[in-house]
Amino acid sequence: MGLTTDLIGTSRPGGTLLITRSRLRFFARATGQSDPVFIDEAAARRAGHRDLPVPPTFFFSVDLEAPDPFAYLDALGVDLRAVLHGEQEFVYHRTAHAGDELSSSTVVTDVYDKKGGELQFMVTETPIVDQDGKRVVTMRNTLVVRQLAGVGA
């Protein structure tokens, strides 16, 4: 099937993740966060947060909580060896904290190609909402699928 403009407007469910302090601390350490507000509850409260805040790029991991987050590419016949991460954008609407349960879903907003079809692009928008359905962040992602020599993509 591959990437066609017929995909624009289609959606897929994402993941749901209960945000825990331990997971936030692990992420903060793994990404080199030096601000104690992301690790220490007292520091977070002194900074005006009700608990540990979710670091800015952590939200990408919510969408990865789906049982098979890349199954949609397989269903489209896209060879994962040909996929490149093109661009990622975050629009923050409010702060999420430890104890929130975040969920995602994704809509394809654009599909186009360059270099005579050698590079195909799929742009998606993924709103992340909390347990009350309030939008926390909107992620925009561009995947690039390149044609592999001798392999259909």
Side-chain angles (χ1 to χ4, degrees):
M1 179 186 302
L3 302 181
T4 68
T5 56
D6 292 342
L7 293 170
I8 297 172
T10 61
S11 62
R12 62 178 168 80
T16 298
L17 177 63
L18 176 62
I19 307 299
T20 63
R21 290 177 186 138
S22 63
R23 191 155 180 168
L24 292 178
R25 287 184 182 113
F26 180 80
F27 184 84
R29 287 186 188 104
T31 58
Q33 297 284 336
S34 59
D35 188 338
V37 76
F38 294 111
I39 298 168
D40 179 27
E41 293 169 58
R45 286 193 169 84
R46 281 193 302 273
H49 296 282
R50 61 178 157 84
D51 209 312
L52 297 180
V54 175
T57 58
F58 180 87
F59 297 102
F60 190 75
S61 63
V62 175
D63 205 38
L64 295 175
E65 287 296 315
D68 186 353
F70 300 108
Y72 73 100
L73 291 173
D74 191 43
L76 293 172
V78 173
D79 186 332
L80 284 177
R81 295 175 300 167
V83 175
L84 302 171
H85 183 80
E87 184 177 330
Q88 183 76 49
E89 176 185 335
F90 298 87
V91 177
Y92 300 98
H93 305 285
R94 54 187 293 271
T95 303
H97 296 92
D100 284 335
E101 186 170 60
L102 305 179
S103 300
S104 68
S105 60
T106 298
V107 176
V108 176
T109 59
D110 199 8
V111 175
Y112 58 93
D113 64 58
K114 291 185 177 181
K115 296 190 174 185
E118 287 185 39
L119 298 174
Q120 296 179 310
F121 296 78
M122 181 167 66
V123 182
T124 58
E125 184 171 298
T126 304
I128 305 287
V129 298
D130 67 11
Q131 61 279 358
D132 298 320
K134 293 180 182 174
R135 191 177 289 213
V136 175
V137 66
T138 302
M139 301 187 304
R140 290 191 185 89
N141 183 334
T142 302
L143 286 182
V144 181
V145 180
R146 58 191 170 93
Q147 298 298 313
L148 298 176
V151 178

